[in-house]
Structures are given as C-alpha cells and as structure tokens.
Amino acid sequence: MLTSSPKAPNDSPSLWHEGDAVEVVIPAPLPTPLTYRVGEGQTVTKGSIVKVPLGTRQVLGTVWGPAEPGRMDNRLKPVIDTMDVPPVREPLRNFIAWVADWTLAAPGMVAKMVTRGEELMQREPPILAVRRTGEEPAKLTDTRRRVLEIAKPGESFTKTGLADLAGVSVAVIDGLVKAGVFEKVWLEREPGRIEPNPDFDPRTLTGGQADAVEALIAPPTADTPSIALLEGVTGSGKTEVYFEAVANTLRQGRQVLILLPEIALTQALLDRFAERFGALPGEWHSAITPKARRQVWRGTAEGKVKVVIGARSALYLPFEDLGLVIVDEEHEAAYKQEEWVSYNARDMAIVRAKFEGAQTILASATPSVESRVNAQAGRYQHILLPARYAARPLPSLSAIDMRRTPPERGSWLAPPLIEAVHDTLERGEQSLIFLNRRGYAPLTLCRTCGHRFECSQCSAWLVQHRFTQTLNCHHCGHVEKLPDACPECGSTDTLAASGPGVERIAEEVATRFPDARSLVLSSDMIGGPKRLKMELEAVANGEVDIVIGTQLVAKGHNFPGLTLVGVVDADVGFGQGDPRAAERTFQLLTQVTGRAGRADKPGMGLIQTYMREHPVLGALLAHDTERFYQLEEEARRRAHLPPFVRFVAVVVSASDASAARTYAANLKRSAPTSEAIEVLGPVDAPMAMLRGRHRQRLLVRGPRGRQTQTYVRQWLAGAEKARGDLRVDVDVDPQSFI
Ligand code: ADP
Ligand code: ZN
Ligand code: ZN
C-alpha cells in the first residue's frame, strides 16, 4: 500500500554513486519525492542536501533514499551538486515526514524549513594570514623585535591584527614576509566560540525550586513521561529552574534548544543566559544577519553550537545531538505558524524531542488549556512553582467598574486609575497602562455622512496612526495618508477618530501628567529590535515613569521599578466567535498584571471593565488559576471544543467571491459521511476578504488522534481540483478563527 508521505527508512550506511537513481524531496507542493540520477563524481547518502533542477529553476532537495528498482533511466535529470554540509540526520528526516503527515502539508515544504537556501550552506571564505617560519631576520629593528615577541614560530595572524598587537605599521609585517620570516597562508574562518559552562554561576535555589529541578532532571522512567509542564506564577523563577535542566543536559554533552514566542524577549534571555553560563548561546530568528544564520546552522549541525535560543523556526535546525527542548511561554499563540505549513511549534517541539530521544519542558505562568489537560491525563509531568521568589507577594488585583466610575467624556482612564497613577508617580515608582490595540484609533469616520474608512483588500477597518498621519490595515499592511477631506461627501475637518489605541492613551497621559516621562511601547513603533531593546532597558533602569503598551510589554520582561499596572479595557477579548477568547484574555491579563511588583516593592493591578461579573475576571482577580481552568475545561468539554475534539479548518479562497463560494459548496457536498466526523460550513470566514481574496470557511470536527486528518486527506484527495487562483488552505488545530 502506498502512503502519501515518504517514511524515512532506517539508516543504513548506503552510498549512491554516479548513475544510481535516488529519491529527492524537493521544495514543491508534491505528495512524493522526485527521482534524480546521481551525477558524475558525486556520492550521496540519505539526508544529503543536493541541488537539483526543477523545471527551469534549481532548488535544494534532500536525498530520501534509493529509487524503486527499475527507475534508472538515462532521461532522469542529474543531481547538479551536493552541498558541503552534514546530511540531514534520521531523527530530523523522521520529524519532517511526521510534520508533513500531521499538518497535511507536502513533505518538501516541511523539508524546506530545514534546508532553507543555498546561502545558508556556504562556508565563510578563508582569510589571508601570515605564519611565522623558522627563519630569523638578517636585520632586527625595534619594530621587528616587537612583532617577533608576539608571533612565535608556527603561529598565524592576519597582517592587520598582528600589526595592531605589536603597535607597528603593516609595512613592517610586509618587510618580514619579504625577508622570509613570515609566509602567507589561508586560514579557515572558524567563529571564535566560548562554550556555555554549566557550572559558571549557579544560583542558590529555594526549596521549591530545588524540588522542581530534581523532578525535571530525574532520568525518565517507564511511568514518568519525558515531557514536563513547568507551571509557576510570574516571578517564581521558572527561568532559573529550567536553566538548571539546561546545565544538566550540557554536562551530558548534548545540545539544548530554548524556544521563545517573540524576538522582543530574546535579548533579556540572552543576557541572563550569559550571566548564568558565562557565554552567549546561538541566536536564531528573523532579525539575525545572514552570517550569524550560517554560523548557527552549521554550528548546530556539527555539534559545535551547544545551545540555541530562538523563535519557532529554530525547531528545524539540524542539531547533531539534541537532548532538551524548552518551550517558554508555551501558551503563546505566536507559536502557531499559519503561512505555508500551518504548525504549532509547541506541539511539534514535543515530537521533535521524541524523535531525538530528548526531553521537553513547557514553561508558563498560564499554560494553555491543551497542556493542562495533557498534564492532568498524565501525558506530561506537572511541576508547580506556586510562589514568587523571595516571598514577594503577587500583585493585588481589583476591578474598576466602568458603569460606576466612568471616565470623563472623551477620555479613557477612569478616576480610580488616574488617582493610582498619581500616587505611584509621587512614590517615584513606575506605572504601565496596558491596551492591546496599536495605533491611535481603531476606526475613523466622517461626522457628516457617516463614512467609515475600510481596507479595500480586507474586511477590516483602517486603524488611524497619529505619529505617521496614516490609516493602516493591520491585516494586509496597506497604508494610506490620512486625508483632509472625506472621500465620500467631501466635507473637510469632519473626520473623527473613534475608540482608543495606545497612541491615544499616550495623548491622554501626556495631558494629565505633563511632568511625567512617558513612553509608548508597541510592535509597530519605528526603529526595530535595536530601538526596542534600548527602550526596554530604559524602562528597566527607571528612566521612564509611565509606559503605555500593547501585548509587547505584557510578557517576560522584568521591570524592577514597576508597581502599578492599569488595564484600559479588559473586555476587548471576551465574546468574539473564538473558542479560545476567554483563555487568551485570562492569560494576557495575568501576564500583564504580573509585571507589577517583581522587585522589593508590592505591586497593584487595576482592571477597567464593564463586565465585572464575568467568571473569568473573577478567577483572575482572586488569583484562582485552578478555578479558571476548571471553568474553561468544563465549558469546552460541554461545547465539544478543543482539546476534547480535533478541529481542522479548511479555507477556500479566490479573488472572485462566487468562485470561492461555488467551490466551497461543492467541496462540502463531496465530504464523505462519517459517524465520528462532521464538516461544518461553508460560511463566509469572519475575515470574509483578506488581501483581496474572498474566503469561505469549512470546519471539520472529529475525534483527537489521527482519524480526523486521515479523513480530511482522503476527502481533499478525492475532491475536484482547485483551478485558476482558487486555493485551499488546511489548518490542523487552528489557533485563530478569522
Ligand atoms: P519567571 O520566569 O517564573 O517569571 P524568573 O526566573 O524570571 O521568574 O525569576 C524572577 C526574578 O527572581 C528574576 O529576577 C530572577 O533572577 C529572580 N530569581 C528567581 N529565583 C532565584 C534564585 N534562586 N536566586 C536568585 N534570584 C532568583
Ligand atoms: Zn463624509
Ligand atoms: Zn487590508
């Protein structure tokens, strides 16, 4: 029987030479590998990364194994070149096949996340250097003597480097080369690397922390799973605890991957890592240089980079011997990738670790409902850190009922919050005012004719940004100038901003607290990661009194002087057609209020709401995490929602609305009937148009486990081909429901 995804068979030391036919997984949406002929003078093995022709292009593929006997044919296209990198190892090939199978993606599209591009495979060009020979110079000047004191026979230096060290001009070195005292040599450019030292600067752990570490590093037995959920309130020392697990793995000589949901969090963790281990780890995310990318990629493949801290794409690095994977802030939606291959890096991390014989640690103050359920079912070890480090209390939380103490007209901060900010300023401490909405106003409308500015390519309002004087679509990136006149009725000075974004809150803060130093922190502020890093440091150093921020500041950061967190609108997240809305709101508000009082002064959280009676809010205010999870699990179980069922979203899109509608309706009709699995829809997706494409949404609901994917695969394989610009996107375990 044929399966649609290639299984990586057991590694045998097979080599294939010129003329042999091999199967190569290539980066194209094909269900199976293609067959190529090994070219002249080449030798390949399973996992070799090769350059092969594909149509008129050349692409990087991965050798999967020998072709079926009888496939040899002189018309087969030859492999062009073999890359000078270690072959993709068996555990990683198995992982690629597994991810493809699970996400219903083409294996080649998954493999592409490993091989990426040819540039990554290049070695740094060698550099010209000089090496001291055994010759002695006939004439010994002062400057020459200085050079020879530094360079002993057999040692190599770059010319400028040596001149610099000796405090002489390069001409002196050139003279010595002429005299035969030095010879020119080419040096391989090996990045200088200090290895992280597990014993560099260990912390003294509290009793609870030490117990947690012990549980984490205990060798797995038949009944302790090798996956741990490390759940601890904000500031309990989860990072310190998992660092000890890192140390343990380093002592075994194995590699470690630490995943973070956002680049904004990496710098702080890199610094903490360096303090603990005396060296920087490898860093991997979209903002590193191509050179750093090459070094980390090759370094992990050759086992030289021991620890990588990175974004979700680091999951596909070719580690030589991965012993531990940590997923920090495991509940974060940012772990879900939705373009190309839709996968959740948290779930896939567990699978990668299994194939590698590695351990997984999921860390969070507010775990996902999925992980809590898994821990309760005994699939994960559940390790708890119930108290903050050094007996620091959790912030005291209270709600501001917006019906009883509403803000003044045209403003957004209620009197009790304003008063609390005043008091905090007076004590010389910091406040954070949180609103998870970028820009100045979420909607702009004309007071004369009621015209609302909407994106022409998406079903979304344009968000007004004051700093840039623009209207922006936060879905497709479209930007236009904020006009002077209404495009509908032509009136001038009638455009009104409706509702607040962080920029508007900042405006109010500036008028109410003119002497305070305030700062807006939001992911779309200009300056990129460097600027952000400086601003976060400024906040940590107490150079700012009031921070106005989006979810960017909610997580992970340590601001010692911050004692007040005010939440402008706690209700934003409730009651949308998203089964995870309550969970997200609970997590976000716990995280953001958890920023308060992390150092020696107690913290306070004030939450503005019109829904004081909402049970999620009640659990949050009481710090009753258990109650929240109980409520939420019960509600999901009753409503047949994940994680008690499996959802697979199938989105049909086309530039023509009726084409999308017709195809989706036909697709629905062709769905096989099944006892256990139902197909809901099609309906207009909540974002009925996105980037100019009209979208119809079908939702498959079935049991957990593979059955639901198998159903979808068979259904789609038997369906009418999507022609023209019709596209069918499949998302297993969808996170967003737009
Ligand atoms: P979490 O990741 O749970 O939010 P952190 O690991 O960031 O908590 O710890 C919170 C703060 O307490 C940090 O400043 C951390 O350095 C400090 N801390 C926690 N445990 C210890 C310890 N055992 N020794 C010294 N400092 C600690
Ligand atoms: Zn108008
Ligand atoms: Zn748009």
Side-chain angles (χ1 to χ4, degrees), residues 203-214 235-238 240-241 244 384-391:
R203 305 278 173 269
T204 312
L205 300 178
T206 66
Q209 291 175 341
D211 291 345
V213 170
E214 199 177 316
S236 57
K238 290 183 293 298
E240 306 293 347
V241 166
E244 293 315 302
L384 291 163
L385 289 171
R388 278 190 164 181
Y389 175 66

Side-chain angles (χ1 to χ4, degrees), residues 172 337 523 730:
V172 178
Q337 165 163 305
S523 60
V730 180

Side-chain angles (χ1 to χ4, degrees), residues 34-104:
L34 295 182
T35 309
Y36 289 89
R37 176 164 56 83
V38 181
E40 195 185 324
Q42 295 169 350
T43 304
V44 300
T45 183
K46 278 178 200 159
S48 290
I49 300 177
V50 291
K51 189 167 17 170
V52 292
L54 179 67
T56 56
R57 291 181 305 142
Q58 298 186 344
V59 296
L60 283 190
T62 310
V63 174
W64 220 252
E68 309 256 304
R71 277 300 323 226
M72 194 47 227
D73 176 336
N74 280 334
R75 279 165 306 184
L76 282 180
K77 294 219 177 101
V79 170
I80 298 165
D81 202 359
T82 309
M83 297 294 114
D84 174 24
V85 289
V88 179
R89 292 166 48 255
E90 187 187 0
L92 184 48
R93 278 181 283 134
N94 285 334
F95 177 62
I96 291 169
W98 197 96
V99 173
D101 193 48
W102 181 259
T103 60
L104 306 179

Side-chain angles (χ1 to χ4, degrees), residues 259-332:
L259 291 178
L260 291 179
E262 258 176 59
I263 304 181
L265 297 174
T266 40
Q267 193 55 48
L269 192 64
L270 290 173
D271 293 346
R272 278 180 79 173
F273 186 92
E275 280 168 28
R276 169 65 185 79
F277 294 98
L280 280 169
E283 189 181 346
W284 183 270
H285 50 70
S286 59
I288 61 172
T289 64
K291 184 171 167 189
R293 200 175 290 283
R294 284 196 294 272
Q295 288 179 350
V296 171
W297 198 90
R298 186 178 287 273
T300 51
E302 293 176 347
K304 290 175 182 154
V305 170
K306 293 294 181 200
V307 181
V308 174
I309 291 182
R312 61 181 183 225
S313 58
L315 193 56
Y316 296 91
L317 282 169
F319 291 95
E320 186 201 45
D321 184 15
L322 186 60
L324 173 64
V325 183
I326 294 163
V327 185
D328 203 353
E329 310 286 357
E330 67 91 26
H331 61 279
E332 277 295 328

Side-chain angles (χ1 to χ4, degrees), residues 119-399:
E119 204 217 22
L120 200 61
M121 316 278 148
Q122 280 154 9
R123 285 181 186 276
E124 303 305 323
I127 39 173
L128 186 59
V130 292
R131 178 165 57 203
R132 180 149 173 212
T133 62
E135 296 286 315
E136 291 300 325
K139 197 173 92 210
L140 199 58
T141 61
D142 228 28
T143 48
R144 285 186 166 191
R145 187 175 300 113
R146 289 218 294 276
V147 172
L148 298 185
E149 270 164 17
I150 287 167
K152 300 294 168 226
E155 291 181 346
S156 307
F157 296 82
T158 63
K159 278 200 294 186
T160 46
L162 182 54
D164 219 46
L165 283 171
V168 304
S169 70
V170 173
V172 178
I173 316 282
D174 283 333
L176 286 167
V177 171
K178 251 202 198 115
V181 182
F182 284 91
E183 60 184 356
K184 290 188 175 168
V185 290
W186 288 98
L187 291 184
E188 285 303 328
R189 210 189 292 240
E190 263 290 304
R193 238 182 234 119
I194 314 172
E195 283 202 14
N197 172 0
D199 304 308
F200 184 77
D201 188 12
R203 305 278 173 269
T204 312
L205 300 178
T206 66
Q209 291 175 341
D211 291 345
V213 170
E214 199 177 316
L216 278 178
I217 67 176
T221 63
D223 38 39
T224 53
S226 62
I227 307 160
L229 175 60
L230 176 61
E231 178 178 348
V233 296
T234 53
S236 57
K238 290 183 293 298
T239 315
E240 306 293 347
V241 166
Y242 74 60
F243 273 176
E244 293 315 302
V246 172
N248 184 59
T249 306
L250 287 175
R251 287 188 196 106
Q252 295 163 3
R254 304 186 73 190
Q255 291 166 294
V256 179
L257 169 62
I258 305 177
L259 291 178
L260 291 179
E262 258 176 59
I263 304 181
L265 297 174
T266 40
Q267 193 55 48
L269 192 64
L270 290 173
D271 293 346
R272 278 180 79 173
F273 186 92
E275 280 168 28
R276 169 65 185 79
F277 294 98
L280 280 169
E283 189 181 346
W284 183 270
H285 50 70
S286 59
I288 61 172
T289 64
K291 184 171 167 189
R293 200 175 290 283
R294 284 196 294 272
Q295 288 179 350
V296 171
W297 198 90
R298 186 178 287 273
T300 51
E302 293 176 347
K304 290 175 182 154
V305 170
K306 293 294 181 200
V307 181
V308 174
I309 291 182
R312 61 181 183 225
S313 58
L315 193 56
Y316 296 91
L317 282 169
F319 291 95
E320 186 201 45
D321 184 15
L322 186 60
L324 173 64
V325 183
I326 294 163
V327 185
D328 203 353
E329 310 286 357
E330 67 91 26
H331 61 279
E332 277 295 328
Y335 279 122
K336 183 71 191 251
Q337 165 163 305
E338 287 171 344
E339 62 276 8
W340 293 110
V341 179
S342 288
Y343 70 94
N344 189 320
R346 179 235 306 155
D347 301 340
M348 296 306 115
I350 291 170
V351 178
R352 172 97 202 250
K354 267 206 183 125
F355 281 119
E356 300 279 350
Q359 193 199 357
T360 314
I361 299 174
L362 309 177
S364 175
T366 51
S368 59
V369 172
E370 276 87 349
S371 296
R372 286 280 304 211
V373 168
N374 281 329
Q376 262 145 29
R379 288 188 283 267
Y380 304 165
Q381 230 192 122
H382 200 176
I383 299 174
L384 291 163
L385 289 171
R388 278 190 164 181
Y389 175 66
R392 283 167 202 150
L394 285 169
S396 67
L397 301 180
S398 39

Side-chain angles (χ1 to χ4, degrees), residues 455 457-458 473 475-478 691:
C455 179
Q457 300 296 303
C458 307
C473 175
H475 296 277
C476 70
H478 166 81
R691 296 188 180 89

